[in-house]
Amino acid sequence: MAEPLLAIDRLDVFHGDFQALYGVEAEIAAGEMVAVIGANGAGKTTLLSALAGLLPRPAAAIRWQGSPIGALRADRVARLGIALVPEGRLLFPSLTIEENLIIGGRMGRRGPWGLEAVYRLFPILRERRAFAPAQLSGGQQQMAAIGRALMANPALILIDEISLGLAPVVVRQLYEVLPAIVGEGMAAIVVEQDTSRALSVSRRFYCLQEGRVALAGASGSVTREAIGRAYFGV
Amino acid sequence: MDVTRASRLTRLAGIAGLLLVVLLALAPWWAGRADLRLLGEVFLYMALATLWNLLAGYAGLVSVGQQAYVGLGGYLLFALTILAGLPVPLALPLVLAAGAVVAVPVALLIFRLRGAYFAIGSWVIAEVFRLVAAQVAALGGGSGASLPPAVVRTLAEGRDLREAMAYWLAFGLATAVLAAAVAILRSRHGLALTAIRDNELAAKSLGIDIWRTKLLVYVAVGALTALAGALIFLQKLRISPDAAFAVNDWTAFVIFIVVIGGIGTLEGPILGTLVFFALRETMADLGTIYLIALGAVAIAVMLKAPQGLWGLIRARTGAELFPLSRKVTGIPSGS
Amino acid sequence: MEWVNAVLQGTLLGGLYALFAAGLSLIFGVMRLVNIAHGDLIVLAAYLALSITAGFGLHPLLALLLVVPAMGLLGYALQRGLINFTMGGDILPPLLVTFGLSVIIQNGLLMGYTADPQKLQAGALETASLTLLGLTAGVLPLLTFALAVAVIGALQWMFYRTAMGRAFRATSDRQDVALLMGLNRAHVFGLAMALSLAVTAIAGVLLGIRTGFDPAGGGARLIFGFEAVIIGGLGNLWGTLAGGVILGIAQAIGGQIHPGLQILAGHLVFLAVLAVRPRGLFPKMEG
């Protein structure tokens, strides 16, 4: 079997004294879209932060194309081609929208994404490119945050709570463009509380419950009941 | 079950401390004149260090302008005795009071600055005091003044008694400052301070009036620092704006002492003062190298052992000499 | 007329203070660091220029070609080798460490150069002056002011128009998200300190030509710079220039009233601004 793009092996993550993840095992292949679902506090955001290098984690627990990357600082992880769209968007408030995009592309990785491509994907950002992030709606900010991550031409994009706090129409719009993004050969891990939406766009899923993988499988064949049990642990 | 602050060690330390206090109070009978002066200086630095530690280590007010109060106290002593003709014993309590009175408006002004900017703002205040002092022609302006023998005699007749008095004042101040620090930290305000230091936001949500507590500490520390300044220049007998308001002597070294000893503990500044004088007395011949070493040691401690020497000792042994932290004792076993 | 003249001289002096302040303003903007040794580094730059002019027989302004990169390198090394290890949430470690640096630099200079005041010899530049409309201004103060405007304009351009400026602002905004952009925080901070000390080098050389210096003079320079930053408003570089000018004018007018009032008047104006507008006159950033 070919080496997966990213392999997670017995990943334990702590917030100080509090253990947030227990022996998480998962993997993702190049170009694949995987959903991570679970209730509030199940450890979804912690998992993405750990993958992006923002939290301390065991050096050998995360392998990128076969090499351990658990000891790398977040900026090194980013240079490998792993981009995070953080929960709450977290655009740089003192940079304009266009500057936020440009800084996302500063590592100079080659690929299909550039300012033009992002503006084609989200035309509203072109109109608002000279605005400060605070002047944009939540949905537009989310577009800018996704655009900023795409600008890095990552091999793997991690998207945290894409729909959090957004109007349903905006959420639908964002989910419509997701396949186009992954269609470019990029792998994606999408963290989502809206289970059915997450399952509908992904090929496989992992369901976290209290820091552990409670269920994993193909998104198309899982039953509502199985998800419910894994979600709430009943 | 009982909640207590005392442990066997603090009780032992209490007894040993009492013996030490008696021994040190008798120093004029067993120490030579030079040693007595050195001891007096040690105690004044110990007082300054304990006061700065209260300010920065407990109230989170990192000031680099405490030389303002040292100089103020010194100049007030000279003004009250030379210009107003008061005897030294009467001037000293007035210095203490004046220190508090001056500290209030200063606090109102510089409390508007936060963090490191508060620090430099406090330094600006000290510079203002220095420049004002340099304008006081009656006290020699920029070149300063000496305490006339007639004034010095109001402290005590005879040189030996005077030296002893100066020593006792220094020793008394250090003991009083330590006792006051223990009292403040054991009081309701002390609890509030600890809460503020650990988490300002949480303290606020508990309804602690942070601003008032900080003001109280700032004013008390200002008053006592002014008194320390008066005693320092009573010992030196000579004052000038540059010496009285020297940032290195009265703030930088004091901060180094506290950090090397262990900030946020009562034992730290005492230990730090002893280290400071040990370094000074052994390396004085090397001149400025000793100051460079002091700065380097302080940097190294801050980076490698931010809890200071006492923090290292406490981590190894769990020792605590002052009965501050509460311990629950007498829990029936098995419960 | 002598009052108008005082205002003019004060304005030009403000250029020097703005140069003291620009480096402070920059590193505060990027990493919220207040460098207590800033003034001592200005004095160190002046001594460096002194050795270079003496060693190579160069004019002090030409010595800048060596002093500026040397101070920049020193800044990068200091930041990466020392100050970065203090950059957590607590304000005490950076304060204490830069205070320690301050004492080390002062005493190091004392050992190397003695306590005697020194001056950089700039020949005719020191005494040359221009007269216009009955007002006379020295060429050196005019040059200093022009350099201050140029330096602040360049910093402003760098901050808002270049990739490095974007990196500075992004790191200042959100350090952890900046990491996600592949920005190495330690390196970004190192660059900011390098730039800060490069500006410090210019300030030090101009100070050395203008008034002379001694190892103990750093504290006053730090305070003047700090006052200019606060008067102008945190995070606003042009505000820092305005703050420097206000400080310079206050000192010049104070000195005109009574020579002993010169420095004091500057401090009093600073305290007055603090009392009335604690965030400065032209604030841009949360303190």
Side-chain angles (χ1 to χ4, degrees), chain C residues 2-269:
Chain C
E2 64 190 29
W3 294 99
V4 178
N5 188 49
V7 170
L8 175 68
Q9 305 308 334
T11 305
L12 297 181
L13 179 60
L16 185 61
Y17 292 165
L19 284 173
F20 292 167
L24 270 182
S25 189
L26 178 76
I27 53 168
F28 183 83
V30 175
M31 49 184 153
R32 303 290 183 279
L33 172 74
V34 174
N35 177 8
I36 299 271
H38 189 78
D40 304 293
L41 288 159
I42 293 174
V43 173
L44 174 68
Y47 275 104
L48 200 55
L50 182 72
S51 288
I52 290 171
T53 50
F56 301 101
L58 283 177
H59 190 276
L61 289 182
L62 273 178
L64 276 176
L65 293 176
L66 291 172
V67 181
V68 168
M71 291 300 288
L73 277 176
L74 175 67
Y76 189 84
L78 266 183
Q79 188 67 37
R80 292 293 306 253
L82 186 64
I83 302 174
N84 268 343
F85 298 106
T86 68
M87 306 291 295
D90 195 356
I91 70 153
L92 185 68
L95 204 89
L96 185 278
V97 166
T98 54
F99 219 143
L101 270 181
S102 159
V103 168
I104 290 173
I105 293 171
Q106 278 177 36
N107 288 288
L109 289 175
L110 203 58
M111 284 173 63
Y113 294 91
T114 76
D116 299 336
Q118 302 283 355
K119 204 166 171 306
L120 296 176
Q121 303 301 332
L125 179 63
E126 294 177 36
T127 48
S129 63
L130 295 173
T131 304
L132 194 68
L133 301 171
L135 287 170
T136 301
V139 170
L140 180 66
L142 283 169
L143 180 71
T144 303
F145 192 83
L147 269 175
V149 172
V151 162
I152 287 187
L155 284 178
Q156 184 84 8
W157 175 80
M158 180 280 305
F159 216 63
Y160 289 101
R161 293 279 177 275
T162 68
M164 185 158 76
R166 273 195 302 275
F168 283 165
R169 281 181 290 145
T171 306
S172 165
D173 281 352
R174 303 185 191 281
Q175 290 188 9
D176 49 347
V177 186
L179 281 172
L180 298 176
M181 307 295 120
L183 286 166
N184 178 0
R185 193 183 76 151
H187 177 64
V188 172
F189 285 178
L191 289 178
M193 187 56 91
L195 214 56
S196 169
L197 291 205
V199 174
T200 295
I202 301 174
V205 168
L206 290 170
L207 168 77
I209 300 174
R210 187 187 171 107
T211 59
F213 47 92
D214 63 84
R221 273 79 209 198
L222 166 71
I223 287 179
F224 294 157
F226 165 77
E227 289 177 332
V229 172
I230 295 279
I231 292 174
L234 288 180
N236 183 347
L237 281 166
W238 289 117
T240 296
L241 178 63
V245 167
I246 291 170
L247 187 64
I249 292 176
Q251 288 189 0
I253 290 180
Q256 189 73 32
I257 297 169
H258 184 281
L261 283 181
Q262 188 194 352
I263 308 295
L264 190 57
H267 292 327
L268 293 179
V269 165

Side-chain angles (χ1 to χ4, degrees), chain B residues 153-236:
Chain B
R153 272 197 294 275
T154 63
L155 182 62
E157 281 297 336
R159 179 151 179 207
D160 282 337
L161 187 56
R162 219 160 35 235
E163 296 274 348
M165 279 297 286
Y167 168 77
W168 279 323
L169 283 167
F171 175 59
L173 178 71
T175 339
V177 162
L178 262 176
V182 172
I184 290 180
L185 292 177
R186 292 185 72 153
S187 74
R188 203 166 45 81
H189 287 297
L191 271 180
L193 280 179
T194 315
I196 293 169
R197 181 188 58 178
D198 292 345
N199 188 335
E200 186 149 331
L201 206 66
K204 203 176 254 174
S205 69
L206 290 172
I208 293 171
D209 190 339
I210 293 171
W211 195 88
R212 256 190 64 183
T213 307
K214 284 187 171 182
L215 179 72
L216 202 79
V217 173
Y218 184 83
V219 170
V221 166
L224 286 163
T225 305
L227 186 56
L231 295 182
I232 287 169
F233 288 95
L234 179 64
Q235 206 184 41
K236 290 189 186 295

